[in-house]
Amino acid sequence: MSEVTGERSAAEPTSSTGSAPATTRPRIEPAVFWTGLVVVVAVFLAGAWQRRWIADDGLIVLRTVRNLIAGNGPVFNAGERVESNTSTLWTYLVYLTHEVVGYRLELVALGLALTLSMVAVACAMLGTRVMYRGTRHARVGGPVLLLPLGVVVYIMLPPARDFATSGLETGLVICWIGVMWLGMQRWARASHREGRAGLPTAGTALVALVAGLGPLVRPELALASVVFLALLAAAGQSWRHLGWLVVIAGTAPVVYQIWRMSYYALPYPLTAVAKDAGGSKWDKGVEYLWDLLSPYVLLLPLVMILAAGLVSLWAARRTAAARVQATGPHDDDDEVGRLLRLRSRVRSTPVVTIAFLLVAVIMLAYVTRVGGDFMHGRVLLPSLFLFLLPVSVVPLPLGPARGADEARVRRVTVPVVAGAWLVVVGWAVTVEVVQDPFRAEPESITSAGIVDERQFYIQRTGHKHPLLADDYLDFPRMRALVRDVSSNRTGAVFLPVPGVQDRWDVVSYDRPMPGLAPFELPVDPFKTVVFLNLGMTSMNLPLDVDVYDTVGLASPLAAHTDRMEDGRIGHDKFLPYDWVLARTGVVEDPVNFPRWIDVNWVNQAEVALQCPATQALIDSYTGPLTLEKRWSNLVNAFSFAEYRINRIPAYEVQRCGLPMPEKVEKYQGTR
């Protein structure tokens, strides 16, 4: 069979007479498998739809898409080249889909996420089916049922259902993993011959192309891409073949990386700087892992799945060994055959399967090392999906055993696999019935800083399915913000009043804007909003209103501060509001300050912003994008990524060796 159709490898053994091997492929019952696949996808779709929503972080992505549509470029605030979205591919996929269908962005993101999530679980099951058909040790006689097992655990897990929508890239991530699983398993089964003139065959080229997209799906998936591409490269092809693989896999990510560094002046998204993606918080990561395992008693089905997988592997090897002993050695047991097997060993079903498990371990270790996330279960879902791939379905042999040894094997295999399946189904039913009451007050933030985002926003907005940006107008402060921004005619900075849920401090310009006469209102006043919840804020305001946060997802200065040691994961940076007031130059007279703002901090921040290194950083993403600027950004991208400022203005003034401004008596305003 060709590589595209996935026929047996050229290295498969034949009998001593040159005929087909004495052992036969498992006769998988197609009706059972396809019925199971349809049921799994349908159940996952129903569960995801039941819990449909768009997260605030999902709305952050859509702000960038709005700017793309408006012609401002892939930025969060017009005029500032800032990459606030972690997944490059997800951003452009939403944008291109919107350009085709023309629906509301929230609905486009919802539909895309759902579709990709369903494709992911289908590819997982199909890839495992190919794995069982391609494993030499799995060739047993008689019919075999492939029962959904590991995939059942994934589709029934509440966080997996939550992030099958959410507007975030999780569906794209697991879809990429699922497609790679199916593609690599078919690659392992396909003919080992090269294409014409040493070129990769169409199937190999397609697998390499998809593997190369990993860093564009999420930056940390570059780790997975390296493993998969190393496997493709080590399969014994010619140098010309290897060179073409490098070109096919590397063109898109390398070209984008060069463009990103010259445009954004960073080697990775600003979110990676804000969250210090290379940092280490193992204790937080372990807490995050336990936060997923504990409430759903997830270890129970995982242990049963592991037992079923190990027993199935043991049974396949015992059966294969018995049959080889009964039929005698094949031609490939001579020296030439052993050499052929050695060259093709990398391109085999077991090695591909081990590679995916290795990637699962690497991804789990990475997520744990950086401290996990603040969203319950979210960043662990790809690792869990990877671990479950080889056991997404498991074989259950039917029919009479061939020989006493096979009968003994089945007496162990059938009860264990069937028992594991029953336990997993029972666990799934329990989760479906109980769902969120597994956890007390799921909408509350735990002591570790973790929260069920969906439940949190349901509780705060009063909407069972917060899907549209309009739904988030019922979040505290949102309606008041939209009202204040729309009614302001002079330009201002809008700051949330601490401890007050329905009011904003509006710090207006106390002097005419440049080029305006006294008391003349600007046609296009400068308006800036600072709020933690970037998504709902930015999607409910016009694009000419700049929106910043204090933790650094859209605010470069905040991203370039140091993490607070005991801060909430994902929110462990904080840039005081004084920096925004200083940066915008919105006021000179302290009478215009809210009473909780210290004029000395603002003055110190104004001086600190004159630090030459900080000025170079700001100019890298706000200055005119000339060829010289692109080259400078490209050369200095890694230096900019490592640059840090002190969030306390006075300390930053001292760090830069600048003169400390004269201290003034703190003015107690009237507001």
Side-chain angles (χ1 to χ4, degrees):
M1 194 182 287
S2 67
E3 181 163 2
V4 176
T5 57
E7 276 215 19
R8 69 178 181 87
S9 163
E12 287 185 5
T14 57
S15 67
S16 57
T17 61
S19 60
T23 55
T24 59
R25 297 177 188 152
R27 183 159 60 84
I28 298 173
E29 292 293 333
V32 175
F33 174 79
W34 290 108
T35 300
L37 188 147
V38 170
V39 170
V40 164
V41 171
V43 170
F44 193 28
L45 178 62
W49 183 255
Q50 183 185 23
R51 302 170 73 93
R52 63 193 181 276
W53 68 307
I54 297 293
D56 180 71
D57 281 41
L59 295 176
I60 293 176
V61 177
L62 302 187
R63 165 80 169 201
T64 300
V65 176
R66 284 177 65 199
N67 273 306
L68 275 169
I69 296 169
N72 297 326
V75 299
F76 190 82
N77 289 314
E80 292 188 348
R81 296 180 296 275
V82 173
E83 189 176 15
S84 296
N85 303 340
T86 304
S87 175
T88 301
L89 199 58
W90 177 243
T91 300
Y92 285 99
L93 193 58
V94 173
Y95 167 69
L96 292 174
T97 304
H98 172 269
E99 292 298 285
V100 172
V101 301
Y103 297 152
R104 281 193 65 148
L105 287 174
E106 298 95 322
L107 300 182
V108 169
L110 178 73
L112 270 177
L114 270 176
T115 302
L116 292 170
S117 297
M118 300 309 114
V119 171
V121 296
C123 287
M125 296 178 68
L126 289 168
T128 307
R129 181 174 184 263
V130 174
M131 181 192 77
Y132 282 119
R133 290 175 62 87
T135 304
R136 184 175 305 170
H137 299 301
R139 296 192 186 113
V140 296
V144 173
L145 299 182
L146 284 182
L147 299 178
L149 188 66
V151 71
V152 174
V153 173
Y154 187 84
I155 68 169
M156 297 304 297
L157 198 63
R161 293 181 167 193
D162 288 349
F163 292 102
T165 54
S166 84
L168 292 166
E169 72 281 353
T170 306
L172 176 62
V173 171
I174 65 168
C175 184
W176 181 82
I177 293 171
V179 169
M180 283 303 303
W181 171 249
L182 176 58
M184 291 293 286
Q185 290 293 352
R186 292 177 71 87
W187 170 80
R189 290 276 293 132
S191 170
H192 292 196
R193 294 189 298 272
E194 295 178 355
R196 294 181 180 179
L199 299 177
T201 59
T204 299
L206 183 59
V207 171
L209 177 64
V210 176
L213 295 178
L216 302 183
V217 176
R218 271 189 73 91
E220 65 266 27
L221 288 181
L223 301 171
S225 293
V226 167
V227 174
F228 300 149
L229 292 172
L231 205 58
L232 293 175
Q237 293 91 354
S238 65
W239 285 107
R240 178 177 294 181
H241 185 281
L242 181 60
W244 275 107
L245 285 181
V246 171
V247 171
I248 293 169
T251 298
V254 169
V255 168
Y256 182 79
Q257 184 65 15
I258 293 173
W259 181 87
R260 164 190 276 158
M261 293 169 67
S262 67
Y263 187 81
Y264 296 114
L266 287 175
Y268 31 72
L270 186 68
T271 52
V273 180
K275 299 182 180 182
D276 273 351
S280 176
K281 286 195 173 184
W282 286 100
D283 55 336
K284 295 278 189 180
V286 171
E287 285 185 278
Y288 186 72
L289 176 60
W290 186 245
D291 184 73
L292 177 64
L293 295 176
S294 176
Y296 312 109
V297 198
L298 189 55
L299 286 175
L300 173 62
L302 292 182
V303 168
M304 297 304 298
I305 288 172
L306 177 62
L310 292 176
V311 167
S312 296
L313 177 62
W314 167 80
R317 289 186 173 275
R318 281 289 301 269
T319 303
R323 296 204 171 174
V324 169
Q325 184 177 9
T327 58
H330 304 301
D331 285 345
D332 63 352
D333 288 329
D334 60 18
E335 185 175 351
V336 176
R338 286 195 297 271
L339 179 61
L340 180 62
R341 291 202 310 275
L342 181 62
R343 293 182 59 187
S344 63
R345 187 170 296 166
V346 171
R347 187 169 179 171
S348 64
T349 298
V351 172
V352 167
T353 304
I354 291 170
F356 273 83
L357 292 176
L358 174 63
V359 169
V361 172
I362 293 172
M363 296 297 295
L364 178 61
Y366 172 78
V367 169
T368 306
R369 181 180 185 273
V370 299
D373 191 39
F374 65 94
M375 298 189 200
H376 170 66
R378 177 198 167 202
V379 296
L380 286 171
L381 292 176
S383 301
L384 177 64
F385 192 70
L386 280 160
F387 275 117
L388 294 175
L389 284 174
V391 286
S392 58
V393 295
V394 292
L396 185 66
L398 300 178
R402 300 182 181 181
D405 190 69
E406 187 172 328
R408 285 192 296 271
V409 169
R410 287 197 182 187
R411 281 198 292 270
V412 176
T413 306
V414 174
V416 171
V417 172
W421 187 81
L422 290 174
V423 170
V424 167
V425 170
W427 173 88
V429 171
T430 304
V431 170
E432 174 65 23
V433 172
V434 178
Q435 289 195 11
D436 295 314
F438 262 118
R439 291 169 295 122
E441 299 182 353
E443 74 282 355
S444 300
I445 301 175
T446 69
S447 59
I450 305 166
V451 67
D452 184 327
E453 282 280 286
R454 175 178 160 274
Q455 289 287 353
F456 176 85
Y457 286 118
I458 288 174
Q459 195 272 340
R460 296 300 191 276
T461 65
H463 292 270
K464 183 179 180 181
H465 300 292
L467 286 172
L468 306 177
D470 299 347
D471 296 332
Y472 282 91
L473 288 173
D474 293 318
F475 190 85
R477 294 191 174 99
M478 279 299 103
R479 290 193 184 277
L481 174 64
V482 173
R483 180 192 64 235
D484 290 350
V485 170
S486 61
S487 61
N488 183 276
R489 295 290 181 268
T490 62
V493 175
F494 300 81
L495 305 176
V497 179
V500 180
Q501 298 294 305
D502 59 353
R503 189 164 65 84
W504 292 75
D505 270 326
V506 182
V507 186
S508 300
Y509 280 88
D510 67 340
R511 63 189 186 282
M513 289 185 179
L516 295 181
F519 308 109
E520 181 182 356
L521 292 178
V523 176
D524 188 18
F526 305 140
K527 299 179 184 179
T528 301
V529 176
V530 186
F531 194 48
L532 177 63
N533 301 92
L534 276 176
M536 65 180 76
T537 306
S538 62
M539 283 297 287
N540 281 300
L541 292 175
L543 292 177
D544 59 359
V545 177
D546 290 338
V547 181
Y548 297 101
D549 61 330
T550 55
V551 299
L553 299 183
S555 174
L557 289 179
H560 287 275
T561 60
D562 288 317
R563 298 172 85 175
M564 295 180 289
E565 187 64 29
D566 297 321
R568 181 188 178 197
I569 196 70
H571 298 76
D572 46 5
K573 294 188 176 183
F574 178 76
L575 190 72
Y577 297 113
D578 313 270
W579 288 88
V580 178
L581 295 175
R583 178 90 169 83
T584 57
V586 70
V587 292
E588 287 182 342
D589 188 348
V591 73
N592 205 29
F593 285 133
R595 66 172 63 244
W596 51 276
I597 292 291
D598 189 337
V599 64
N600 290 295
W601 278 50
V602 178
N603 292 339
Q604 292 159 4
E606 286 181 326
V607 173
L609 285 171
Q610 304 309 310
C611 182
T614 304
Q615 281 291 305
L617 173 69
I618 294 172
D619 184 63
S620 71
Y621 61 85
T622 60
L625 195 61
T626 62
L627 285 176
E628 292 79 9
K629 176 63 66 180
R630 280 191 177 273
W631 175 251
S632 174
N633 287 351
L634 182 65
V635 172
N636 296 298
F638 284 95
S639 298
F640 287 137
E642 296 297 323
Y643 181 67
R644 294 293 182 270
I645 67 173
N646 196 304
R647 66 188 187 91
I648 307 300
Y651 296 162
E652 180 63 10
V653 170
Q654 293 174 352
R655 185 188 72 84
C656 290
L658 298 172
M660 189 70 66
E662 183 179 351
K663 188 174 182 179
V664 299
E665 291 299 323
K666 185 175 180 181
Y667 180 83
Q668 295 294 332
T670 59
R671 291 191 289 165

